[in-house]
Amino acid sequence: MSNATLSPLPFADHEVAARLREALLAASFTADGLLDLLGAPAYAALARSETVPALRATRGDTPLETLVRLFLLQQPVPYARVEGVLPVHACVAGGWLTRVGDAGGDLAATVDVRPYGGPDGEDWFIVSDLGCAVGGAGGIGSRDEGVVLGVGGASTTLAGITVRTPVASALDLGTGSGIQALHASRHATRVTATDLNPRALHITALTLALSGAPAADLREGSLFEPVRDDESYDLIVSNPPFVISPGARLTYRDGGMGGDDLCRSLVQGAGERLNEGGFAQFLANWQHVEGEDWQDRIRSWVPRGCDAWIVQREVQDVTQYAELWLRDAGDHRGDPAEYQARYDAWLDEFEARKVKAVGFGWITLRRTSAAEPVITAEEWPHPVEQPLGDTVRAHFERLDYLRAHDDAALLAGHFRLAGEIVQEQVGLPGAEDPEHVVLRQHRGMRRATKVDTVGAGFAGVCDGTLSAGRILDAIAQLVGEDPVLLRDRTPAQIRLLVEQGFLEPAPR
């Protein structure tokens, strides 16, 4: 289907958007207001695309109930009820509302508007196509390929891992409904947002205007095509159409290149467009190919002059992967023969490429002038604490520290134990000594690492007062070990504890 089948969008009129925003806030049409009105179960059900609990919770006639039915649940509402809540004439003239029903006695929204809480308590609003504000696609893709979705789990994941230091320039590739550009507007002087779908650019402009955020430089085109050769950025983010599929049926999710080539092109192209010290952060899928290590595959994508941190969060075999995205498009609800044909096509594609599974995760690049950039690729399917932006930034700061300190400098350094680290001792009941000791983080990546008794004792004493070498000398005296030998064998363990964030260099 073409975009012509989708409803007309509101005009990007900042004055009308400002009046609408003021009315929405006056009625407490905010993330907190929704939670108070609906209650946690109905609020959570909305995120699963289930609207019945919210419909039941909005049977009254308060201004907030009226707005929830209008903008989130897409229910026609009598003109007289809306008139007391919104500047109706301006909203109809601006294209936010349209008259429906007999003699135009009811009003309906032309777009979804979802309240969204910013990281510092900002009241933002994410605009998307009708039926796409909450939950997943829910089969929307089968209705129109040019649809623009609202906020999903991938959107919030990327927003949470993004480094949020103040920067001069940020680039959001494949902006969609504009959520990454909206976040970037808080800490970037200049925001550029691109998308292959012109409808997405228009919706991004609406999202920014309705959220009271500065306008972005909106450019149409694929990947880095809209970026001029002389342009570079301090931050690049992208939640790209990363789904590995046969063909490019659905614009919002399918990359249109073979296999994982779109994600590879995105990562490889970012290096030359990053300023020194700048970050590029992506969500991506990658193929697990027979006879190839997935880590080697992703490492080969990293451009020259960049450190990289690659985290694989999930792996699905090819059947699970195909079923996930067939359901995403609603194909399982249609003609069984057509569903089977599409499933077959997906498996044929994977078989031809010798793909046995697909990985999903995060890729972060940082432009560096270091002679030997560091690439870390790891699998971490365990729960983490969002937002992780500060954790990501600290990871690369620790890389710099370790790169600049050889073993002698490390032993002369001072360290302190990171916040909220606990020690667990594992062993048989009644045993005099534990079989092993585990240090566990309760923040950030929530890592756990096994250490020996020297490592545990060293970490426990680190408060920034004594140098690492002095602490090891004291431990050697306590356990009756040669201090020279202990100094020789312990730096590797210290490096690991620093790299993983258990120990932090202490300022002197």
Side-chain angles (χ1 to χ4, degrees), residues 35-199:
L35 183 58
D36 290 341
L37 171 68
L38 302 178
Y43 190 81
L46 273 180
R48 301 191 299 270
S49 300
E50 296 291 348
T51 58
V52 172
L55 286 167
R56 292 173 60 85
T58 55
R59 290 180 288 196
D61 58 0
T62 66
L64 180 53
E65 287 169 300
T66 297
L67 293 175
V68 172
R69 281 189 160 256
L70 193 63
F71 284 117
L72 267 185
L73 304 177
Q74 281 86 63
Q75 300 296 305
V77 179
Y79 187 103
R81 281 184 59 183
V82 182
E83 192 175 28
V85 182
L86 297 177
V88 171
H89 179 74
C91 288
V92 171
W96 293 92
L97 300 176
T98 186
R99 290 178 177 270
V100 296
D102 295 338
D106 291 342
L107 290 170
T110 59
V111 288
D112 266 330
V113 176
R114 173 179 172 174
Y116 179 84
D120 291 324
E122 301 94 342
D123 289 315
W124 288 340
F125 300 97
I126 309 300
V127 180
S128 61
D129 272 311
L130 292 173
C132 301
V134 292
I140 190 72
S142 61
R143 283 191 272 152
D144 198 289
E145 63 182 22
V147 73
V148 179
L149 302 186
V151 178
S155 303
T156 54
T157 293
L158 179 58
I161 67 173
T162 300
V163 176
R164 297 296 176 194
T165 52
V167 294
S169 57
L171 172 63
D172 175 16
L173 288 172
T175 187
S177 60
I179 181 165
Q180 309 305 331
L182 183 56
H183 275 279
S185 71
R186 292 178 59 251
H187 62 101
T189 304
R190 176 173 56 88
V191 177
T192 302
T194 73
D195 204 288
L196 184 64
N197 183 0
R199 189 175 181 87

Side-chain angles (χ1 to χ4, degrees), residues 256-280:
M257 297 185 185
D260 51 17
D261 284 353
L262 182 136
C263 290
R264 176 184 55 78
S265 298
L266 189 63
V267 174
Q268 289 181 336
E272 61 185 352
R273 293 168 175 88
L274 274 180
N275 293 327
E276 179 69 20
F279 287 93

Side-chain angles (χ1 to χ4, degrees), residues 416-421 501-504:
R416 62 187 176 199
L417 193 65
E420 298 195 38
I421 304 291
F502 289 93
L503 293 178
E504 300 171 346

Side-chain angles (χ1 to χ4, degrees), residues 175-256:
T175 187
S177 60
I179 181 165
Q180 309 305 331
L182 183 56
H183 275 279
S185 71
R186 292 178 59 251
H187 62 101
T189 304
R190 176 173 56 88
V191 177
T192 302
T194 73
D195 204 288
L196 184 64
N197 183 0
R199 189 175 181 87
L201 296 175
H202 190 106
I203 283 181
T204 292
L206 298 176
T207 290
L208 295 172
L210 196 57
S211 299
D217 178 4
L218 304 177
R219 304 182 189 179
E220 183 180 343
S222 176
L223 300 181
F224 292 103
E225 286 176 3
V227 179
R228 297 191 302 270
D229 291 341
D230 61 346
E231 289 181 308
S232 58
Y233 298 86
D234 303 307
L235 174 67
I236 300 173
V237 294
S238 184
N239 175 20
F242 52 66
V243 175
I244 300 171
S245 63
R249 184 163 60 105
L250 304 177
T251 305
Y252 70 85
R253 68 167 206 195
D254 298 333

Side-chain angles (χ1 to χ4, degrees), residues 25-43:
L25 294 177
S28 296
F29 187 65
T30 63
D32 290 340
L34 278 186
L35 183 58
D36 290 341
L37 171 68
L38 302 178
Y43 190 81

